[in-house]
């Protein structure tokens, strides 16, 4: 019997693999373009026209347009996804001329392309804006930073005066020490911006989540649990077991989650469905509010024994959100009224 990986058979498998790679390359570079040419001749429409006319407004259409432009051999189409917002209208005109499409006969194409490019370019600009906030450190010598921090306290604890700028009172809203500036190192000003937005625009939910996070959660003791622990051990576990987590720290952590969903492109599905034109920082902050609200519910549903399970719960929550965002019709619609004027379903 001939060995499976002798020099001859190994050479054959290497040749076969190379042949497949050549075929795939040929298909991508030549045959696919030939097929596009044939389809255009048969339908009388270019790929951009077919996408715009055969897909409803939203993530499905915009993501196909984005892919088509990026994969084009035309430099104009490739660079159209990164032009300045003010140049989008001219870019659309240039694309129409390049594709030899009469705007008078196809007026809807120009409108659809412009809307898609506004979303695509807007998403790139939003990443830059969010990244700038994330990289800006909290500066206690900056009056604007200090004003935002003090405003956060007043929104969350309106009936409790802050005794001093540096005080253990900050722990009451979930910071780790007596000076919150140290907790903003990971997410910079972005964490503070999101927390303040949540506390100001969804104040009822924010205060409820804060209240829940501060109070232990009790439940009935099962016979199995009684048999495992002594009464003293169980009472300790029951007191330790809480909805409890540090509100502000979790908010900064969820900011990190929202940030990573944004830069990975996962939030394109959501933003392309809810923002009729360019997604803005407000859309991002509303998404953060939604994630905070949903994570809080998810935390309660998961019923963790203590805060040490936070990373496990967070990772499970992240996977749940990612799965939802794989649906091109998905929109993580915030639950509060501040977003109603921005949702375009």
């Amino acid at each position: 019997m001939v060995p499976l990986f002798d020099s001859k058979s190994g050479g054959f498998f290497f040749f076969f693999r190379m042949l497949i790679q050549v075929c795939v390359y040929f298909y991508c570079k030549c045959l696919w373009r030939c097929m596009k040419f044939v389809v255009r001749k048969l339908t009388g429409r270019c790929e951009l026209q077919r996408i715009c006319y055969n897909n409803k407004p939203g993530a499905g259409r915009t993501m196909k347009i984005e892919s088509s432009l990026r994969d084009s051999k035309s430099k104009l189409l490739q660079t159209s996804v990164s032009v300045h917002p003010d140049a989008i209208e001219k870019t659309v005109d240039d694309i129409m001329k390049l594709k030899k499409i009469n705007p008078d006969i196809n007026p809807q194409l120009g409108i659809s392309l412009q809307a898609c490019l506004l979303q695509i370019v807007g998403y790139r600009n939003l990443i830059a804006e969010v990244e700038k906030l994330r990289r800006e450190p909290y500066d206690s010598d900056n009056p604007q930073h200090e004003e935002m921090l003090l405003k956060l306290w007043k929104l969350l604890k309106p009936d409790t005066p802050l005794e001093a700028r540096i005080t253990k009172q900050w722990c009451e809203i979930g910071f780790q020490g007596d000076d919150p500036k140290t907790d903003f190192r990971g997410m910079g000003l972005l964490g503070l911006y999101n927390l303040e937005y949540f506390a100001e625009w969804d104040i009822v939910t924010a205060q409820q989540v804060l209240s829940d996070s501060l109070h232990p959660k009790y439940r009935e003791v099962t016979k199995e649990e009684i048999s495992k622990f002594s009464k003293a051990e169980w009472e300790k576990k029951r007191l330790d077991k809480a909805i409890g987590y540090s509100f502000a720290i979790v908010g900064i952590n969820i900011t990190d989650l929202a940030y990573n969903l944004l830069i990975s492109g996962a939030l394109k599905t959501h933003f392309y469905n809810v923002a009729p034109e360019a997604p803005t920082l407000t859309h991002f902050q509303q998404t953060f509010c939604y994630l905070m609200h949903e994570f809080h519910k998810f935390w309660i549903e998961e019923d963790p024994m203590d805060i040490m399970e936070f990373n496990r719960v967070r990772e499970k929550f992240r996977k749940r959100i990612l799965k939802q965002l794989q649906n091109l019709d998905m929109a993580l619609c915030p639950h509060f009224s501040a977003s109603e004027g921005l949702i375009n379903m």
Side-chain angles (χ1 to χ4, degrees):
M1 182 177 290
V2 179
L4 183 61
F5 292 105
D6 65 4
S7 59
K8 292 183 179 179
S9 62
F12 171 77
F13 285 121
F14 175 77
F15 173 77
F16 186 68
R17 186 168 65 249
M18 289 295 295
L19 181 62
I20 292 176
Q21 291 176 345
V22 170
C23 291
V24 171
Y25 176 83
F26 176 76
Y27 172 79
C28 294
K29 292 295 183 180
C30 303
L31 185 59
W32 174 241
R33 297 194 185 281
C34 291
M35 289 179 63
K36 287 171 63 176
F37 176 79
V38 172
V39 172
R40 173 161 188 173
K41 288 299 181 181
L42 291 174
T43 63
R45 293 176 175 177
C46 69
E47 185 177 42
L48 295 177
Q49 286 176 297
R50 295 195 300 273
I51 293 173
C52 287
Y53 294 154
N54 297 334
N55 295 272
K56 64 181 181 180
R61 185 181 72 177
T62 301
M63 292 175 79
K64 288 178 182 178
I65 289 291
E66 186 173 11
S67 178
S68 177
L69 294 173
R70 289 184 188 281
D71 295 340
S72 174
K73 62 181 179 180
S74 166
K75 193 68 175 177
L76 169 64
L77 299 186
Q78 291 175 7
T79 58
S80 64
V81 297
S82 56
V83 299
H84 190 277
D86 294 341
I88 287 178
E89 188 173 349
K90 182 181 183 304
T91 300
V92 171
D93 291 339
D94 292 341
I95 291 174
M96 300 279 277
K97 290 177 183 176
L98 178 68
K99 293 294 184 178
K100 299 178 181 178
I101 300 171
N102 189 330
D104 296 327
I105 300 175
N106 300 273
Q108 187 57 43
L109 178 62
I111 295 172
S112 299
L113 273 178
Q114 184 168 333
C116 289
L117 280 179
L118 281 169
Q119 290 182 318
I120 295 166
V121 172
Y123 192 93
R124 289 171 58 92
N125 292 340
L126 176 58
I127 289 178
E129 185 177 5
V130 167
E131 182 64 31
K132 182 179 179 182
L133 286 173
R134 188 188 72 86
R135 289 179 176 272
E136 184 175 354
Y138 183 92
D139 182 2
S140 56
D141 293 327
N142 187 316
Q144 183 182 0
H145 296 186
E146 288 286 285
E147 183 180 348
M148 289 179 65
L149 181 61
L150 294 176
K151 182 179 178 181
L152 177 64
W153 173 270
K154 292 176 182 177
L155 288 168
L156 293 174
K157 305 283 285 185
D159 300 324
T160 307
L162 194 64
E163 296 173 356
R165 166 60 182 80
I166 297 178
T167 171
K168 288 294 183 183
Q169 281 183 287
W170 290 112
C171 296
E172 295 177 22
I173 59 173
F175 287 103
Q176 290 181 320
D178 56 5
D179 191 349
K181 73 175 184 180
T182 59
D183 293 324
F184 292 120
R185 288 173 182 167
M187 284 288 107
L189 277 189
L190 185 63
L192 179 56
Y193 266 72
N194 279 351
L195 284 170
E196 184 188 335
Y197 187 92
F198 185 34
E200 183 170 9
W201 292 103
D202 200 12
I203 185 62
V204 174
T205 302
Q207 289 186 348
Q208 183 61 56
V209 172
L210 173 62
S211 177
D212 289 346
S213 72
L214 293 170
H215 294 89
K217 172 187 175 185
Y218 299 98
R219 61 183 175 85
E220 294 296 324
V221 184
T222 64
K223 292 181 179 180
E224 291 77 11
E225 289 169 329
I226 291 176
S227 65
K228 289 181 182 179
F229 306 108
S230 68
K231 183 177 180 181
E233 289 174 328
W234 171 251
E235 285 299 324
K236 182 179 185 304
K237 286 185 174 294
R238 194 176 73 152
L239 287 171
D240 287 345
K241 181 175 180 59
I243 293 176
Y245 53 72
S246 299
F247 175 87
I249 296 301
V250 168
I252 294 171
N253 203 287
I254 297 301
T255 292
D256 176 75
L257 172 60
Y259 166 77
N260 282 289
L261 290 173
L262 177 72
I263 63 173
S264 70
L267 279 178
K268 285 182 179 180
T269 307
H270 167 63
F271 286 144
Y272 290 169
N273 282 329
V274 301
E277 294 184 345
T280 65
L281 183 61
T282 299
H283 287 101
F284 179 78
Q285 291 176 309
Q286 291 177 351
T287 303
F288 164 77
C289 295
Y290 170 84
L291 292 173
M292 277 291 287
H293 184 253
E294 291 300 303
F295 178 80
H296 181 66
K297 292 193 299 182
F298 188 74
W299 176 266
I300 296 172
E301 291 168 6
E302 283 294 297
D303 199 28
M305 181 59 72
D306 54 40
I307 195 62
M308 298 305 293
E309 292 194 69
F310 178 80
N311 287 338
R312 176 190 68 79
V313 176
R314 181 192 184 276
E315 179 60 17
K316 190 172 180 180
F317 178 71
R318 184 187 70 85
K319 291 179 178 179
R320 183 187 194 181
I321 295 297
L322 278 174
K323 186 176 181 180
Q324 291 175 353
L325 290 171
Q326 290 173 2
N327 179 359
L328 291 181
D329 293 324
M330 182 62 189
L332 302 176
C333 297
H335 62 286
F336 53 95
S337 60
S339 68
E340 289 178 357
L342 294 174
I343 294 177
N344 178 40
M345 297 303 293

